[in-house]
Short mmCIF file of all heavy atoms in Angstrom, two decimals:
data_model
loop_
_atom_site.label_atom_id
_atom_site.label_comp_id
_atom_site.label_asym_id
_atom_site.label_seq_id
_atom_site.Cartn_x
_atom_site.Cartn_y
_atom_site.Cartn_z
N ALA A 132 109.57 52.27 130.21
CA ALA A 132 109.58 51.24 131.26
C ALA A 132 108.21 51.23 131.92
O ALA A 132 107.92 52.09 132.78
CB ALA A 132 110.68 51.53 132.28
N ILE A 133 107.36 50.30 131.52
CA ILE A 133 105.99 50.23 132.02
C ILE A 133 105.90 49.17 133.10
O ILE A 133 106.02 47.97 132.82
CB ILE A 133 105.00 49.94 130.88
CG1 ILE A 133 105.10 51.02 129.79
CG2 ILE A 133 103.58 49.87 131.42
CD1 ILE A 133 104.17 50.80 128.61
N GLU A 134 105.74 49.60 134.33
CA GLU A 134 105.57 48.73 135.50
C GLU A 134 106.70 47.71 135.61
O GLU A 134 106.45 46.53 135.90
CB GLU A 134 104.19 48.07 135.46
CG GLU A 134 103.07 49.11 135.48
CD GLU A 134 101.68 48.51 135.35
OE1 GLU A 134 101.45 47.41 135.89
OE2 GLU A 134 100.82 49.15 134.72
N SER A 135 107.92 48.15 135.39
CA SER A 135 109.06 47.23 135.43
C SER A 135 110.17 47.68 136.37
O SER A 135 110.83 46.83 136.99
CB SER A 135 109.65 47.07 134.02
OG SER A 135 110.07 48.31 133.48
N ILE A 136 110.40 48.97 136.53
CA ILE A 136 111.49 49.42 137.40
C ILE A 136 111.23 49.00 138.84
O ILE A 136 112.16 48.72 139.60
CB ILE A 136 111.70 50.94 137.28
CG1 ILE A 136 112.28 51.26 135.89
CG2 ILE A 136 112.65 51.46 138.36
CD1 ILE A 136 112.56 52.73 135.64
N SER A 137 109.97 48.88 139.23
CA SER A 137 109.66 48.43 140.59
C SER A 137 110.21 47.04 140.86
O SER A 137 110.46 46.68 142.01
CB SER A 137 108.14 48.45 140.83
OG SER A 137 107.46 47.75 139.80
N HIS A 138 110.42 46.23 139.81
CA HIS A 138 110.99 44.89 139.97
C HIS A 138 112.51 44.90 140.05
O HIS A 138 113.12 43.85 140.34
CB HIS A 138 110.59 44.00 138.78
CG HIS A 138 109.20 43.44 138.87
ND1 HIS A 138 108.79 42.60 139.88
CD2 HIS A 138 108.13 43.60 138.05
CE1 HIS A 138 107.53 42.27 139.69
NE2 HIS A 138 107.11 42.85 138.58
N MET A 139 113.15 46.04 139.78
CA MET A 139 114.60 46.07 139.68
C MET A 139 115.24 46.34 141.04
O MET A 139 114.80 47.22 141.78
CB MET A 139 115.02 47.14 138.66
CG MET A 139 114.51 46.84 137.26
SD MET A 139 115.05 48.06 136.04
CE MET A 139 114.00 47.61 134.65
N ILE A 140 116.29 45.58 141.33
CA ILE A 140 116.88 45.64 142.66
C ILE A 140 117.71 46.91 142.85
O ILE A 140 117.85 47.40 143.97
CB ILE A 140 117.72 44.37 142.93
CG1 ILE A 140 118.01 44.23 144.43
CG2 ILE A 140 118.99 44.36 142.09
CD1 ILE A 140 118.46 42.86 144.84
N ASP A 141 118.26 47.47 141.78
CA ASP A 141 119.07 48.69 141.87
C ASP A 141 118.40 49.76 141.00
O ASP A 141 118.73 49.95 139.84
CB ASP A 141 120.50 48.42 141.39
CG ASP A 141 121.45 49.58 141.69
OD1 ASP A 141 120.96 50.71 141.88
OD2 ASP A 141 122.68 49.34 141.72
N LYS A 142 117.45 50.46 141.58
CA LYS A 142 116.67 51.42 140.82
C LYS A 142 117.48 52.65 140.39
O LYS A 142 117.31 53.13 139.26
CB LYS A 142 115.43 51.81 141.61
CG LYS A 142 114.46 50.63 141.79
CD LYS A 142 113.29 50.97 142.68
CE LYS A 142 112.28 49.83 142.74
NZ LYS A 142 112.84 48.58 143.30
N PRO A 143 118.37 53.19 141.23
CA PRO A 143 119.21 54.29 140.73
C PRO A 143 120.02 53.88 139.50
O PRO A 143 120.18 54.68 138.57
CB PRO A 143 120.12 54.60 141.93
CG PRO A 143 119.32 54.19 143.12
CD PRO A 143 118.56 52.97 142.68
#
Side-chain angles (χ1 to χ4, degrees):
I133 302 179
E134 300 177 35
S135 59
I136 291 181
S137 51
H138 280 298
M139 298 182 192
I140 196 163
D141 190 338
K142 294 175 175 61

